[in-house]
Amino acid sequence: QIGTAVAQAHLRQMLGFFGAVTFVQPELYVHWTDTLTQEDGSFTPDAAAFFQTWMDGFAAFVAKQAA
């Protein structure tokens, strides 16, 4: 589980060396559990709010890069 996070961090470091722009904040690492979703497959309200925070940051990052 932690190996994936370390690999992603290392990849961001390598991309930065080559001048690639990466989205680093807010950082998101998800350990998938049954408590993230409801019976119908949708996210629970707490999980949805958590992911929405990340999506809002990502949308702002994309808008900044497009400007």
Side-chain angles (χ1 to χ4, degrees):
Q1 294 168 357
I2 191 73
T4 302
V6 172
Q8 290 173 11
H10 184 64
L11 177 59
R12 279 196 309 273
Q13 289 174 342
M14 290 188 302
L15 290 171
F17 176 80
F18 292 107
V21 179
T22 60
F23 178 62
V24 296
Q25 290 296 328
E27 202 166 42
L28 178 68
Y29 295 101
V30 177
H31 177 79
W32 196 267
T33 65
D34 292 337
T35 60
L36 290 176
T37 57
Q38 302 178 91
E39 286 190 21
D40 66 357
S42 64
F43 287 120
T44 62
D46 288 343
F50 176 75
F51 289 119
Q52 188 62 55
T53 299
W54 188 89
M55 290 301 296
D56 291 345
F58 184 70
F61 170 78
V62 170
K64 182 178 178 182
Q65 298 309 308

